Amino acid sequence: MLWAKGLGYERVITSPVDTPFLPADFVITLSEGHAPVYCRRNGSDHFLHGVWPVDLEQDLAAFVADGGRAMKDWLKHCGARVCDFGQSDDTAPFFNVNTQEDLKALEAILKRSSSALPRRGSPRV
């Protein structure tokens, strides 16, 4: 937040690197309004996926200095709202890869999605 604030930005968007798929409208949806916001999908909260006004950097620093560690506690403290991406059988958005089993599931998702893509033939001149 300090870095972004120093560059003149008003907000930062975060998403963990172990989440390879995001909804196509992730950034646009979260960018509406100025309040801090985190994501929910299929009834599960995803506290690290969100938008944070940089003017909350001192509040976050104070929260951590007072021993706060859980993101969900800070979100409650700062009055963050939830952005609900709804219910779906599609497991890809916000899918989190932490274990070997998750990696196998990711490979299955990628295989299903790549087999659904149209194949391109050789270019013709």
Side-chain angles (χ1 to χ4, degrees):
M1 287 178 171
L2 287 172
W3 176 76
K5 191 175 189 177
L7 292 174
Y9 292 102
E10 295 178 8
R11 297 172 287 178
V12 295
I13 293 178
T14 60
S15 181
V17 298
D18 61 354
T19 310
F21 307 111
L22 293 174
D25 60 348
F26 178 73
V27 172
I28 291 170
T29 302
L30 291 181
S31 296
E32 297 170 357
H34 190 70
V37 60
Y38 64 95
C39 298
R40 178 179 291 149
R41 173 127 173 145
N42 289 341
S44 295
D45 290 329
H46 302 280
F47 301 117
L48 299 178
H49 294 275
V51 149
W52 322 109
V54 297
D55 57 4
L56 289 176
E57 51 90 10
Q58 288 182 347
D59 184 72
L60 178 58
F63 176 81
V64 171
D66 288 341
R69 295 292 179 264
M71 188 68 169
K72 66 181 178 179
D73 294 339
W74 182 65
L75 296 175
K76 193 181 298 183
H77 168 78
C78 73
R81 66 178 179 81
V82 66
C83 179
D84 197 329
F85 280 84
Q87 300 288 327
S88 174
D89 291 337
D90 181 10
T91 58
F94 304 114
F95 178 78
N96 192 268
V97 181
N98 292 311
T99 65
Q100 287 295 324
E101 291 79 23
D102 294 340
L103 184 58
K104 288 177 185 176
L106 171 63
E107 290 168 346
I109 291 169
L110 291 173
K111 189 173 186 172
R112 280 193 310 269
S113 64
S114 67
S115 66
L117 295 173
R119 300 282 180 212
R120 253 188 212 171
S122 300
R124 295 192 179 172
V125 180

